[in-house]
Amino acid sequence: MTFRYDFAPTPFGDALVVFSDEGIVRFDLSESVDPTVPWLLEDISSRLHAVPVPDPGAADELAHLLDDYFAGVPVRFDEHVRLDWRLIEGFHRTALQTISSIEWGQTMSYGEVAVVAGSPGAARAVGTACRLTPFSIIVPVHRVVRSDGTPGQYGAHPEHKRYLLDLER
């Protein structure tokens, strides 16, 4: 299996995009000002048991989709790009696949996702799946909100979640 990487611009900075032969295996919004620093690949390399190689231009199609998305076009990423789910399994994968079906501008609570995913009462596990997603933005975990309708967290940047929810209104 070959793993490659490129970067895609977002309003939050350049995102690391890692590809396998099966599709996108990771889309990671970096906390770094310089997304080319080597430590960004350390986690994914240890999880894949391989070091991805640079592939400039590999993320061009995704970058165009992101441009559309951030311009307010209701993009369903899963209709345009293939995802390689190897880094997430069990209920977390089921929850993320359920979240993929939440339409643009819609939200579901963590509990509602748990019910649809077949595990009523697993709202906290849905939250964990959202936190662990290898596909930030592409799988719209920002559309999962608290039962009272408030946004909740989005990693270390709840303002990013608010931005994405406001974009889709």
Side-chain angles (χ1 to χ4, degrees), residues 116-165:
V116 174
S119 293
R124 291 181 76 131
V126 171
T128 300
C130 290
R131 183 175 52 80
L132 296 176
T133 184
F135 308 116
S136 184
I137 299 175
I138 295 172
V139 170
V141 297
H142 60 277
R143 295 179 188 153
V144 183
V145 298
R146 294 178 174 155
S147 59
D148 66 2
T150 58
Q153 297 300 308
Y154 194 71
H157 297 283
E159 71 277 8
H160 292 177
K161 186 170 189 173
R162 171 53 52 205
Y163 177 92
L164 295 168
L165 291 170

mmCIF file of all heavy atoms in Angstrom, residues 116-165:
data_model
loop_
_atom_site.group_PDB
_atom_site.id
_atom_site.type_symbol
_atom_site.label_atom_id
_atom_site.label_comp_id
_atom_site.label_asym_id
_atom_site.label_seq_id
_atom_site.Cartn_x
_atom_site.Cartn_y
_atom_site.Cartn_z
ATOM 1 N N VAL A 116 -29.771 6.699 15.455
ATOM 2 C CA VAL A 116 -29.729 6.349 14.029
ATOM 3 C C VAL A 116 -28.614 5.341 13.750
ATOM 4 O O VAL A 116 -28.773 4.444 12.921
ATOM 5 C CB VAL A 116 -29.576 7.612 13.152
ATOM 6 C CG1 VAL A 116 -29.372 7.255 11.687
ATOM 7 C CG2 VAL A 116 -30.791 8.530 13.308
ATOM 8 N N ALA A 117 -27.518 5.449 14.482
ATOM 9 C CA ALA A 117 -26.385 4.528 14.296
ATOM 10 C C ALA A 117 -26.636 3.167 14.961
ATOM 11 O O ALA A 117 -25.792 2.275 14.875
ATOM 12 C CB ALA A 117 -25.106 5.156 14.839
ATOM 13 N N GLY A 118 -27.778 3.031 15.621
ATOM 14 C CA GLY A 118 -28.147 1.734 16.178
ATOM 15 C C GLY A 118 -27.733 1.494 17.612
ATOM 16 O O GLY A 118 -27.831 0.370 18.100
ATOM 17 N N SER A 119 -27.283 2.528 18.306
ATOM 18 C CA SER A 119 -26.865 2.375 19.703
ATOM 19 C C SER A 119 -27.443 3.487 20.569
ATOM 20 O O SER A 119 -26.721 4.381 21.020
ATOM 21 C CB SER A 119 -25.342 2.358 19.807
ATOM 22 O OG SER A 119 -24.805 1.221 19.212
ATOM 23 N N PRO A 120 -28.762 3.434 20.825
ATOM 24 C CA PRO A 120 -29.356 4.452 21.703
ATOM 25 C C PRO A 120 -28.594 4.479 23.037
ATOM 26 O O PRO A 120 -28.193 3.449 23.545
ATOM 27 C CB PRO A 120 -30.786 3.964 21.910
ATOM 28 C CG PRO A 120 -31.043 3.020 20.780
ATOM 29 C CD PRO A 120 -29.716 2.411 20.416
ATOM 30 N N GLY A 121 -28.393 5.653 23.553
ATOM 31 C CA GLY A 121 -27.663 5.788 24.802
ATOM 32 C C GLY A 121 -26.164 5.943 24.613
ATOM 33 O O GLY A 121 -25.424 6.066 25.586
ATOM 34 N N ALA A 122 -25.686 5.941 23.380
ATOM 35 C CA ALA A 122 -24.249 6.040 23.119
ATOM 36 C C ALA A 122 -23.839 7.444 22.675
ATOM 37 O O ALA A 122 -22.911 7.606 21.895
ATOM 38 C CB ALA A 122 -23.842 5.007 22.075
ATOM 39 N N ALA A 123 -24.522 8.452 23.201
ATOM 40 C CA ALA A 123 -24.227 9.828 22.799
ATOM 41 C C ALA A 123 -22.773 10.207 23.079
ATOM 42 O O ALA A 123 -22.136 10.882 22.268
ATOM 43 C CB ALA A 123 -25.169 10.802 23.505
ATOM 44 N N ARG A 124 -22.246 9.759 24.211
ATOM 45 C CA ARG A 124 -20.847 10.095 24.531
ATOM 46 C C ARG A 124 -19.894 9.445 23.534
ATOM 47 O O ARG A 124 -18.873 10.025 23.156
ATOM 48 C CB ARG A 124 -20.515 9.672 25.949
ATOM 49 C CG ARG A 124 -21.262 10.520 26.978
ATOM 50 C CD ARG A 124 -20.882 10.086 28.360
ATOM 51 N NE ARG A 124 -19.560 10.610 28.632
ATOM 52 C CZ ARG A 124 -19.216 11.261 29.716
ATOM 53 N NH1 ARG A 124 -20.091 11.443 30.665
ATOM 54 N NH2 ARG A 124 -17.992 11.710 29.874
ATOM 55 N N ALA A 125 -20.209 8.236 23.103
ATOM 56 C CA ALA A 125 -19.374 7.550 22.107
ATOM 57 C C ALA A 125 -19.427 8.292 20.774
ATOM 58 O O ALA A 125 -18.433 8.330 20.040
ATOM 59 C CB ALA A 125 -19.810 6.096 21.940
ATOM 60 N N VAL A 126 -20.572 8.890 20.452
ATOM 61 C CA VAL A 126 -20.666 9.708 19.240
ATOM 62 C C VAL A 126 -19.736 10.907 19.378
ATOM 63 O O VAL A 126 -19.018 11.254 18.436
ATOM 64 C CB VAL A 126 -22.118 10.154 18.972
ATOM 65 C CG1 VAL A 126 -22.174 11.184 17.839
ATOM 66 C CG2 VAL A 126 -23.001 8.958 18.655
ATOM 67 N N GLY A 127 -19.716 11.531 20.549
ATOM 68 C CA GLY A 127 -18.808 12.641 20.789
ATOM 69 C C GLY A 127 -17.352 12.236 20.619
ATOM 70 O O GLY A 127 -16.555 12.966 20.034
ATOM 71 N N THR A 128 -17.029 11.038 21.097
ATOM 72 C CA THR A 128 -15.663 10.537 20.934
ATOM 73 C C THR A 128 -15.356 10.322 19.456
ATOM 74 O O THR A 128 -14.270 10.663 18.982
ATOM 75 C CB THR A 128 -15.471 9.223 21.725
ATOM 76 O OG1 THR A 128 -15.709 9.491 23.107
ATOM 77 C CG2 THR A 128 -14.072 8.669 21.541
ATOM 78 N N ALA A 129 -16.305 9.759 18.716
ATOM 79 C CA ALA A 129 -16.105 9.554 17.275
ATOM 80 C C ALA A 129 -15.860 10.887 16.578
ATOM 81 O O ALA A 129 -14.977 10.994 15.717
ATOM 82 C CB ALA A 129 -17.309 8.846 16.666
ATOM 83 N N CYS A 130 -16.614 11.906 16.954
ATOM 84 C CA CYS A 130 -16.427 13.236 16.359
ATOM 85 C C CYS A 130 -15.028 13.766 16.667
ATOM 86 O O CYS A 130 -14.374 14.341 15.802
ATOM 87 C CB CYS A 130 -17.481 14.205 16.877
ATOM 88 S SG CYS A 130 -19.154 13.877 16.285
ATOM 89 N N ARG A 131 -14.580 13.554 17.900
ATOM 90 C CA ARG A 131 -13.256 14.033 18.302
ATOM 91 C C ARG A 131 -12.146 13.279 17.580
ATOM 92 O O ARG A 131 -11.118 13.847 17.233
ATOM 93 C CB ARG A 131 -13.104 13.885 19.814
ATOM 94 C CG ARG A 131 -11.799 14.421 20.353
ATOM 95 C CD ARG A 131 -11.727 14.357 21.872
ATOM 96 N NE ARG A 131 -12.025 13.056 22.439
ATOM 97 C CZ ARG A 131 -11.161 12.034 22.509
ATOM 98 N NH1 ARG A 131 -9.951 12.169 22.031
ATOM 99 N NH2 ARG A 131 -11.516 10.896 23.064
ATOM 100 N N LEU A 132 -12.373 11.997 17.304
ATOM 101 C CA LEU A 132 -11.336 11.161 16.694
ATOM 102 C C LEU A 132 -11.389 11.116 15.167
ATOM 103 O O LEU A 132 -10.547 10.473 14.546
ATOM 104 C CB LEU A 132 -11.463 9.721 17.213
ATOM 105 C CG LEU A 132 -11.234 9.518 18.700
ATOM 106 C CD1 LEU A 132 -11.495 8.062 19.075
ATOM 107 C CD2 LEU A 132 -9.835 9.950 19.093
ATOM 108 N N THR A 133 -12.361 11.784 14.578
ATOM 109 C CA THR A 133 -12.526 11.663 13.126
ATOM 110 C C THR A 133 -11.229 11.940 12.365
ATOM 111 O O THR A 133 -10.545 12.927 12.630
ATOM 112 C CB THR A 133 -13.637 12.574 12.598
ATOM 113 O OG1 THR A 133 -13.793 12.311 11.178
ATOM 114 C CG2 THR A 133 -13.331 14.049 12.794
ATOM 115 N N PRO A 134 -10.905 11.068 11.415
ATOM 116 C CA PRO A 134 -9.764 11.360 10.557
ATOM 117 C C PRO A 134 -10.162 12.235 9.361
ATOM 118 O O PRO A 134 -9.350 12.486 8.484
ATOM 119 C CB PRO A 134 -9.309 9.970 10.096
ATOM 120 C CG PRO A 134 -10.536 9.132 10.149
ATOM 121 C CD PRO A 134 -11.389 9.704 11.250
ATOM 122 N N PHE A 135 -11.438 12.665 9.334
ATOM 123 C CA PHE A 135 -11.955 13.401 8.176
ATOM 124 C C PHE A 135 -12.648 14.694 8.592
ATOM 125 O O PHE A 135 -13.807 14.926 8.257
ATOM 126 C CB PHE A 135 -12.953 12.537 7.401
ATOM 127 C CG PHE A 135 -12.464 11.172 7.030
ATOM 128 C CD1 PHE A 135 -13.083 10.044 7.552
ATOM 129 C CD2 PHE A 135 -11.400 11.002 6.169
ATOM 130 C CE1 PHE A 135 -12.648 8.769 7.200
ATOM 131 C CE2 PHE A 135 -10.956 9.743 5.812
ATOM 132 C CZ PHE A 135 -11.585 8.616 6.341
ATOM 133 N N SER A 136 -11.967 15.549 9.307
ATOM 134 C CA SER A 136 -12.558 16.812 9.710
ATOM 135 C C SER A 136 -13.119 17.533 8.480
ATOM 136 O O SER A 136 -12.515 17.510 7.413
ATOM 137 C CB SER A 136 -11.474 17.658 10.373
ATOM 138 O OG SER A 136 -12.011 18.840 10.863
ATOM 139 N N ILE A 137 -14.271 18.135 8.617
ATOM 140 C CA ILE A 137 -15.012 18.858 7.577
ATOM 141 C C ILE A 137 -15.585 17.914 6.525
ATOM 142 O O ILE A 137 -16.767 17.990 6.200
ATOM 143 C CB ILE A 137 -14.200 19.993 6.907
ATOM 144 C CG1 ILE A 137 -13.799 21.040 7.947
ATOM 145 C CG2 ILE A 137 -14.997 20.647 5.771
ATOM 146 C CD1 ILE A 137 -12.900 22.141 7.412
ATOM 147 N N ILE A 138 -14.786 17.004 5.978
ATOM 148 C CA ILE A 138 -15.260 16.083 4.933
ATOM 149 C C ILE A 138 -16.401 15.218 5.471
ATOM 150 O O ILE A 138 -17.400 15.004 4.791
ATOM 151 C CB ILE A 138 -14.099 15.209 4.411
ATOM 152 C CG1 ILE A 138 -13.062 16.085 3.712
ATOM 153 C CG2 ILE A 138 -14.608 14.129 3.469
ATOM 154 C CD1 ILE A 138 -11.798 15.349 3.328
ATOM 155 N N VAL A 139 -16.243 14.695 6.680
ATOM 156 C CA VAL A 139 -17.353 14.084 7.414
ATOM 157 C C VAL A 139 -17.803 15.190 8.362
ATOM 158 O O VAL A 139 -17.048 15.604 9.240
ATOM 159 C CB VAL A 139 -16.918 12.812 8.172
ATOM 160 C CG1 VAL A 139 -18.020 12.343 9.105
ATOM 161 C CG2 VAL A 139 -16.548 11.704 7.188
ATOM 162 N N PRO A 140 -19.018 15.696 8.184
ATOM 163 C CA PRO A 140 -19.419 16.948 8.836
ATOM 164 C C PRO A 140 -19.736 16.817 10.332
ATOM 165 O O PRO A 140 -20.869 17.036 10.766
ATOM 166 C CB PRO A 140 -20.644 17.368 8.029
ATOM 167 C CG PRO A 140 -21.247 16.070 7.588
ATOM 168 C CD PRO A 140 -20.066 15.177 7.300
ATOM 169 N N VAL A 141 -18.726 16.490 11.123
ATOM 170 C CA VAL A 141 -18.948 16.348 12.565
ATOM 171 C C VAL A 141 -19.374 17.676 13.196
ATOM 172 O O VAL A 141 -19.952 17.681 14.291
ATOM 173 C CB VAL A 141 -17.717 15.753 13.287
ATOM 174 C CG1 VAL A 141 -17.436 14.348 12.793
ATOM 175 C CG2 VAL A 141 -16.492 16.625 13.140
ATOM 176 N N HIS A 142 -19.128 18.769 12.507
ATOM 177 C CA HIS A 142 -19.576 20.066 13.028
ATOM 178 C C HIS A 142 -21.101 20.159 13.060
ATOM 179 O O HIS A 142 -21.650 20.994 13.769
ATOM 180 C CB HIS A 142 -18.982 21.215 12.195
ATOM 181 C CG HIS A 142 -19.367 21.170 10.756
ATOM 182 N ND1 HIS A 142 -18.697 20.383 9.836
ATOM 183 C CD2 HIS A 142 -20.364 21.798 10.074
ATOM 184 C CE1 HIS A 142 -19.255 20.546 8.640
ATOM 185 N NE2 HIS A 142 -20.268 21.390 8.767
ATOM 186 N N ARG A 143 -21.796 19.288 12.336
ATOM 187 C CA ARG A 143 -23.261 19.296 12.310
ATOM 188 C C ARG A 143 -23.869 18.540 13.490
ATOM 189 O O ARG A 143 -25.086 18.445 13.605
ATOM 190 C CB ARG A 143 -23.762 18.709 10.994
ATOM 191 C CG ARG A 143 -23.373 19.547 9.791
ATOM 192 C CD ARG A 143 -23.842 18.943 8.491
ATOM 193 N NE ARG A 143 -23.280 19.688 7.365
ATOM 194 C CZ ARG A 143 -23.062 19.178 6.165
ATOM 195 N NH1 ARG A 143 -23.383 17.921 5.917
ATOM 196 N NH2 ARG A 143 -22.537 19.920 5.220
ATOM 197 N N VAL A 144 -23.030 17.989 14.334
ATOM 198 C CA VAL A 144 -23.506 17.288 15.527
ATOM 199 C C VAL A 144 -23.408 18.256 16.701
ATOM 200 O O VAL A 144 -22.336 18.791 16.983
ATOM 201 C CB VAL A 144 -22.690 16.006 15.800
ATOM 202 C CG1 VAL A 144 -23.249 15.269 17.001
ATOM 203 C CG2 VAL A 144 -22.694 15.106 14.564
ATOM 204 N N VAL A 145 -24.555 18.489 17.340
ATOM 205 C CA VAL A 145 -24.647 19.499 18.396
ATOM 206 C C VAL A 145 -25.189 18.871 19.679
ATOM 207 O O VAL A 145 -25.668 17.734 19.680
ATOM 208 C CB VAL A 145 -25.543 20.680 17.953
ATOM 209 C CG1 VAL A 145 -24.952 21.389 16.727
ATOM 210 C CG2 VAL A 145 -26.963 20.215 17.651
ATOM 211 N N ARG A 146 -25.132 19.628 20.735
ATOM 212 C CA ARG A 146 -25.687 19.178 22.012
ATOM 213 C C ARG A 146 -27.210 19.074 21.920
ATOM 214 O O ARG A 146 -27.834 19.690 21.047
ATOM 215 C CB ARG A 146 -25.291 20.150 23.111
ATOM 216 C CG ARG A 146 -23.810 20.172 23.373
ATOM 217 C CD ARG A 146 -23.484 21.189 24.436
ATOM 218 N NE ARG A 146 -22.073 21.111 24.775
ATOM 219 C CZ ARG A 146 -21.384 22.110 25.279
ATOM 220 N NH1 ARG A 146 -21.966 23.280 25.502
ATOM 221 N NH2 ARG A 146 -20.104 21.953 25.570
ATOM 222 N N SER A 147 -27.797 18.342 22.846
ATOM 223 C CA SER A 147 -29.256 18.129 22.821
ATOM 224 C C SER A 147 -30.034 19.430 22.987
ATOM 225 O O SER A 147 -31.175 19.526 22.532
ATOM 226 C CB SER A 147 -29.671 17.119 23.896
ATOM 227 O OG SER A 147 -29.292 17.588 25.169
ATOM 228 N N ASP A 148 -29.416 20.456 23.587
ATOM 229 C CA ASP A 148 -30.101 21.740 23.730
ATOM 230 C C ASP A 148 -29.906 22.638 22.507
ATOM 231 O O ASP A 148 -30.342 23.788 22.487
ATOM 232 C CB ASP A 148 -29.658 22.453 25.003
ATOM 233 C CG ASP A 148 -28.195 22.872 24.995
ATOM 234 O OD1 ASP A 148 -27.487 22.660 23.976
ATOM 235 O OD2 ASP A 148 -27.742 23.421 26.023
ATOM 236 N N GLY A 149 -29.227 22.119 21.478
ATOM 237 C CA GLY A 149 -29.026 22.868 20.242
ATOM 238 C C GLY A 149 -27.772 23.713 20.213
ATOM 239 O O GLY A 149 -27.430 24.273 19.167
ATOM 240 N N THR A 150 -27.067 23.826 21.334
ATOM 241 C CA THR A 150 -25.819 24.607 21.333
ATOM 242 C C THR A 150 -24.721 23.800 20.645
ATOM 243 O O THR A 150 -24.759 22.563 20.644
ATOM 244 C CB THR A 150 -25.396 24.997 22.766
ATOM 245 O OG1 THR A 150 -25.226 23.817 23.550
ATOM 246 C CG2 THR A 150 -26.436 25.912 23.406
ATOM 247 N N PRO A 151 -23.753 24.490 20.051
ATOM 248 C CA PRO A 151 -22.758 23.793 19.231
ATOM 249 C C PRO A 151 -21.884 22.781 19.964
ATOM 250 O O PRO A 151 -21.582 21.724 19.429
ATOM 251 C CB PRO A 151 -21.896 24.914 18.655
ATOM 252 C CG PRO A 151 -22.724 26.131 18.745
ATOM 253 C CD PRO A 151 -23.617 25.936 19.931
ATOM 254 N N GLY A 152 -21.430 23.118 21.157
ATOM 255 C CA GLY A 152 -20.476 22.229 21.811
ATOM 256 C C GLY A 152 -19.074 22.493 21.291
ATOM 257 O O GLY A 152 -18.796 23.521 20.685
ATOM 258 N N GLN A 153 -18.197 21.548 21.516
ATOM 259 C CA GLN A 153 -16.782 21.708 21.187
ATOM 260 C C GLN A 153 -16.479 21.296 19.741
ATOM 261 O O GLN A 153 -17.303 20.679 19.077
ATOM 262 C CB GLN A 153 -15.926 20.887 22.143
ATOM 263 C CG GLN A 153 -16.033 21.338 23.585
ATOM 264 C CD GLN A 153 -15.603 22.778 23.781
ATOM 265 O OE1 GLN A 153 -14.516 23.172 23.370
ATOM 266 N NE2 GLN A 153 -16.446 23.582 24.399
ATOM 267 N N TYR A 154 -15.284 21.623 19.315
ATOM 268 C CA TYR A 154 -14.761 21.215 18.009
ATOM 269 C C TYR A 154 -13.258 21.180 18.160
ATOM 270 O O TYR A 154 -12.548 22.077 17.716
ATOM 271 C CB TYR A 154 -15.198 22.208 16.928
ATOM 272 C CG TYR A 154 -15.013 21.736 15.502
ATOM 273 C CD1 TYR A 154 -15.817 20.732 14.971
ATOM 274 C CD2 TYR A 154 -14.051 22.300 14.680
ATOM 275 C CE1 TYR A 154 -15.663 20.320 13.654
ATOM 276 C CE2 TYR A 154 -13.897 21.896 13.364
ATOM 277 C CZ TYR A 154 -14.705 20.913 12.858
ATOM 278 O OH TYR A 154 -14.559 20.502 11.552
ATOM 279 N N GLY A 155 -12.790 20.164 18.858
ATOM 280 C CA GLY A 155 -11.378 20.111 19.195
ATOM 281 C C GLY A 155 -11.033 21.301 20.069
ATOM 282 O O GLY A 155 -11.787 21.669 20.968
ATOM 283 N N ALA A 156 -9.931 21.924 19.798
ATOM 284 C CA ALA A 156 -9.502 23.092 20.560
ATOM 285 C C ALA A 156 -10.081 24.389 19.996
ATOM 286 O O ALA A 156 -9.756 25.463 20.477
ATOM 287 C CB ALA A 156 -7.973 23.171 20.560
ATOM 288 N N HIS A 157 -10.942 24.256 18.974
ATOM 289 C CA HIS A 157 -11.432 25.458 18.292
ATOM 290 C C HIS A 157 -12.949 25.446 18.109
ATOM 291 O O HIS A 157 -13.454 25.283 16.988
ATOM 292 C CB HIS A 157 -10.750 25.602 16.932
ATOM 293 C CG HIS A 157 -9.283 25.797 17.031
ATOM 294 N ND1 HIS A 157 -8.721 27.001 17.379
ATOM 295 C CD2 HIS A 157 -8.259 24.934 16.880
ATOM 296 C CE1 HIS A 157 -7.407 26.873 17.422
ATOM 297 N NE2 HIS A 157 -7.105 25.630 17.127
ATOM 298 N N PRO A 158 -13.714 25.677 19.184
ATOM 299 C CA PRO A 158 -15.167 25.738 19.020
ATOM 300 C C PRO A 158 -15.606 26.855 18.079
ATOM 301 O O PRO A 158 -16.664 26.771 17.458
ATOM 302 C CB PRO A 158 -15.677 25.949 20.446
ATOM 303 C CG PRO A 158 -14.510 26.399 21.242
ATOM 304 C CD PRO A 158 -13.287 25.872 20.553
ATOM 305 N N GLU A 159 -14.763 27.875 17.908
ATOM 306 C CA GLU A 159 -15.108 28.953 16.974
ATOM 307 C C GLU A 159 -15.128 28.450 15.529
ATOM 308 O O GLU A 159 -15.852 28.986 14.685
ATOM 309 C CB GLU A 159 -14.156 30.153 17.135
ATOM 310 C CG GLU A 159 -12.737 29.933 16.648
ATOM 311 C CD GLU A 159 -11.804 29.218 17.632
ATOM 312 O OE1 GLU A 159 -12.250 28.733 18.688
ATOM 313 O OE2 GLU A 159 -10.594 29.160 17.324
ATOM 314 N N HIS A 160 -14.361 27.418 15.226
ATOM 315 C CA HIS A 160 -14.400 26.830 13.886
ATOM 316 C C HIS A 160 -15.751 26.148 13.647
ATOM 317 O O HIS A 160 -16.317 26.236 12.550
ATOM 318 C CB HIS A 160 -13.278 25.809 13.682
ATOM 319 C CG HIS A 160 -11.912 26.414 13.647
ATOM 320 N ND1 HIS A 160 -10.783 25.652 13.525
ATOM 321 C CD2 HIS A 160 -11.487 27.699 13.704
ATOM 322 C CE1 HIS A 160 -9.713 26.440 13.511
ATOM 323 N NE2 HIS A 160 -10.116 27.688 13.624
ATOM 324 N N LYS A 161 -16.245 25.479 14.668
ATOM 325 C CA LYS A 161 -17.559 24.819 14.545
ATOM 326 C C LYS A 161 -18.641 25.871 14.304
ATOM 327 O O LYS A 161 -19.494 25.706 13.439
ATOM 328 C CB LYS A 161 -17.851 24.007 15.805
ATOM 329 C CG LYS A 161 -19.120 23.179 15.710
ATOM 330 C CD LYS A 161 -19.224 22.220 16.886
ATOM 331 C CE LYS A 161 -20.355 21.246 16.704
ATOM 332 N NZ LYS A 161 -20.361 20.211 17.751
ATOM 333 N N ARG A 162 -18.614 26.954 15.064
ATOM 334 C CA ARG A 162 -19.586 28.017 14.889
ATOM 335 C C ARG A 162 -19.481 28.601 13.482
ATOM 336 O O ARG A 162 -20.485 28.844 12.826
ATOM 337 C CB ARG A 162 -19.352 29.098 15.963
ATOM 338 C CG ARG A 162 -20.136 30.384 15.790
ATOM 339 C CD ARG A 162 -21.642 30.263 15.633
ATOM 340 N NE ARG A 162 -22.305 29.486 16.645
ATOM 341 C CZ ARG A 162 -23.478 28.880 16.445
ATOM 342 N NH1 ARG A 162 -24.111 28.972 15.298
ATOM 343 N NH2 ARG A 162 -24.041 28.177 17.382
ATOM 344 N N TYR A 163 -18.275 28.812 12.996
ATOM 345 C CA TYR A 163 -18.047 29.327 11.646
ATOM 346 C C TYR A 163 -18.694 28.398 10.611
ATOM 347 O O TYR A 163 -19.398 28.855 9.694
ATOM 348 C CB TYR A 163 -16.539 29.447 11.385
ATOM 349 C CG TYR A 163 -16.168 29.899 9.984
ATOM 350 C CD1 TYR A 163 -15.981 31.253 9.708
ATOM 351 C CD2 TYR A 163 -16.007 28.984 8.951
ATOM 352 C CE1 TYR A 163 -15.627 31.668 8.429
ATOM 353 C CE2 TYR A 163 -15.665 29.402 7.680
ATOM 354 C CZ TYR A 163 -15.482 30.739 7.421
ATOM 355 O OH TYR A 163 -15.147 31.143 6.143
ATOM 356 N N LEU A 164 -18.462 27.084 10.733
ATOM 357 C CA LEU A 164 -19.009 26.125 9.768
ATOM 358 C C LEU A 164 -20.536 26.067 9.846
ATOM 359 O O LEU A 164 -21.215 26.019 8.807
ATOM 360 C CB LEU A 164 -18.406 24.745 10.012
ATOM 361 C CG LEU A 164 -16.901 24.649 9.763
ATOM 362 C CD1 LEU A 164 -16.344 23.331 10.306
ATOM 363 C CD2 LEU A 164 -16.567 24.823 8.299
ATOM 364 N N LEU A 165 -21.078 26.083 11.043
ATOM 365 C CA LEU A 165 -22.546 26.082 11.190
ATOM 366 C C LEU A 165 -23.141 27.356 10.609
ATOM 367 O O LEU A 165 -24.175 27.295 9.911
ATOM 368 C CB LEU A 165 -22.938 25.916 12.660
ATOM 369 C CG LEU A 165 -22.645 24.549 13.270
ATOM 370 C CD1 LEU A 165 -22.857 24.583 14.778
ATOM 371 C CD2 LEU A 165 -23.496 23.461 12.614
#
